Amino acid sequence: MDFSSYKPKGKIGHKHLLNLLDYSAADIYEILHLAQSLKSAMRRGKKHELLKGKTLAMIFSKSSTRTRVSFEMGMHQLGGHSLFLSSNDIQLGRGETIADTARVLSRYGIDGVMIRTFLQSDVEELAEYGTFSVINGLTDDFHPCQALADIFTVAENYGHLNGVKLAYFGDGNNMAHSLMLAGAKTGMNVYICSPKGYEPDQAITEAAQKFGSVTVTDSVEEAAAGADVLYTDVFFSMGQAKDPKKEAALMPYQVNPTVLEMANKDAVFMHCLPAHRGEEVTESVIDSTRSVVFEEAENRLHVQKAIMCLLMGKK
Ligand code: CP
Ligand code: NVA
């Protein structure tokens, strides 16, 4: 079944979004369909205060522009309230445990916590000890909200997801992992093209391959040939030190006009942002008419609103 023919039921059987491993295609389609209707309501200026009286706390241990602003604005548009908690300003940054933080936030009537941090295990621990819904806003291993906004953008462009070839170039990082899972579960044909030594995690790759079509290759030609979507991300993720050896290994995986030429003639370019022009992508590609990076950034808002409604709204 494809996204385009799925009939939404308006609910999913989850309390949290920790990663996409335990989400079915139907769960993902529910999110995408609701995102579509919230986006259209917003365009028509129609009020949609589906989370009136609800509060989302947002814990950030890493920087953010898109995630912070889209969650904050999303909560505001849904009639709810959000709290920005930088880990430098709360006791978590001085060594208070995740478990104690979760128990305390639970006592104040918090309905959801969005957390951006380093360890995936911290996100899981927060969910274990809190009474609220937990949403992963990026860890070293996953970035599920971004990947869902990305495939929503693909569906908007192509009208369907089944069989769409998405080729990711560069570091086998959190984005590569989440795109593999989101793409495989929704019938896309995902290629992760990384140099030797910088491939995605093997266990996550094998898990994704059980759900659908995921190929890991070091051949740019193989990945780009016939691709509908060309995707890349930074050489150095947050928390990683610059390393000339890694930069040299990743440079041949840059998305540039030569790579664009190998793809389908109507292929789109995607990037989660922030981007480093001249490193993972050339200015001539990211600033071209083929680039949909700002649609992707906007879609973070609509998709996260849908996620929050499905996890934190009335059951
Ligand atoms: N793509 C993304 O998550 O952007 P921010 O780091 O600005 O939140
Ligand atoms: N891989 C990048 C994604 C940023 C949205 C990072 O983790 O920094």
Side-chain angles (χ1 to χ4, degrees):
M1 183 212 334
D2 185 44
F3 161 71
S4 54
S5 53
Y6 180 80
K7 298 272 171 288
K9 293 165 192 63
K11 56 177 189 212
I12 57 174
H14 293 277
K15 181 174 176 188
H16 309 294
L17 174 59
L18 307 181
N19 60 57
L20 290 169
L21 280 162
D22 59 348
Y23 270 56
S24 65
D27 295 330
I28 295 174
Y29 297 153
E30 287 290 341
I31 294 169
L32 306 191
H33 275 281
L34 183 55
Q36 203 168 43
S37 81
L38 292 172
K39 183 170 183 175
S40 127
M42 192 176 151
R43 289 270 196 275
R44 286 181 280 119
K46 191 167 173 280
K47 275 208 167 204
H48 46 279
E49 297 189 329
L50 301 170
L51 291 182
K52 213 174 166 89
K54 303 273 182 182
T55 300
L56 177 81
M58 309 190 297
I59 301 176
F60 282 93
S61 305
K62 292 177 176 174
S63 308
S64 169
T65 299
R66 280 143 289 269
T67 305
R68 177 180 174 180
V69 180
S70 55
F71 268 107
E72 203 162 321
M73 283 308 291
M75 226 20 214
H76 172 69
Q77 291 163 13
L78 291 167
H81 187 68
S82 59
L83 294 172
F84 173 67
L85 306 175
S86 159
S87 68
N88 292 327
D89 301 331
I90 59 173
Q91 299 289 9
L92 192 61
R94 294 182 61 247
E96 186 165 21
T97 65
I98 288 275
D100 284 356
T101 305
R103 291 179 182 117
V104 170
L105 293 179
S106 299
R107 298 288 180 117
Y108 299 143
I110 297 282
D111 302 288
V113 176
M114 191 291 307
I115 178 166
R116 166 167 287 196
T117 191
F118 296 86
L119 298 178
Q120 180 66 22
S121 57
D122 282 353
V123 177
E124 280 153 22
E125 201 174 330
L126 196 66
E128 186 183 339
Y129 289 94
T131 55
F132 39 74
S133 290
V134 175
I135 300 172
N136 180 346
L138 181 147
T139 61
D140 291 347
D141 293 327
F142 298 109
H143 197 359
C145 294
Q146 180 70 52
L148 291 171
D150 294 337
I151 63 165
F152 179 66
T153 310
V154 172
E156 281 188 324
N157 262 277
Y158 290 104
H160 65 102
L161 291 172
N162 252 330
V164 173
K165 178 172 176 182
L166 181 149
Y168 171 95
F169 299 88
D171 192 23
N173 61 14
N174 46 8
M175 272 323 311
H177 294 157
S178 287
L179 286 167
M180 283 195 297
L181 289 167
K185 294 209 174 196
T186 56
M188 294 175 70
N189 192 7
V190 182
Y191 277 70
I192 304 294
C193 184
S194 307
K196 295 241 172 323
Y198 300 99
E199 296 98 339
D201 178 86
Q202 202 176 336
I204 298 172
T205 305
E206 283 168 12
Q209 284 169 332
K210 291 208 178 81
F211 302 118
S213 170
V214 177
T215 307
V216 177
T217 176
D218 62 357
S219 160
V220 172
E221 290 76 10
E222 183 190 354
D228 302 298
V229 179
L230 301 173
Y231 198 117
T232 190
D233 187 14
V234 290
F235 291 169
F236 303 101
S237 286
M238 289 181 277
Q240 294 178 345
K242 282 220 168 196
D243 166 11
K245 187 170 145 262
K246 185 177 184 186
E247 187 170 349
L250 288 170
M251 213 52 213
Y253 293 78
Q254 181 190 64
V255 179
N256 53 35
T258 313
V259 180
L260 199 57
E261 198 56 38
M262 295 176 199
N264 271 351
K265 65 171 181 7
D266 57 351
V268 292
F269 171 74
M270 298 181 76
H271 191 309
C272 56
L273 303 179
H276 291 85
R277 288 167 174 78
E279 293 185 17
E280 72 275 8
V281 60
T282 58
E283 198 179 312
S284 57
V285 171
I286 194 170
D287 297 322
S288 75
T289 52
R290 310 280 282 277
S291 172
V292 293
V293 297
F294 299 110
E295 278 74 22
E296 279 178 89
E298 179 188 331
N299 285 335
R300 292 289 303 278
L301 173 74
H302 309 300
V303 167
Q304 287 160 194
K305 282 165 74 178
I307 294 167
M308 290 192 287
C309 287
L310 290 164
L311 299 181
M312 295 161 58
K314 283 199 198 82
K315 298 284 176 232

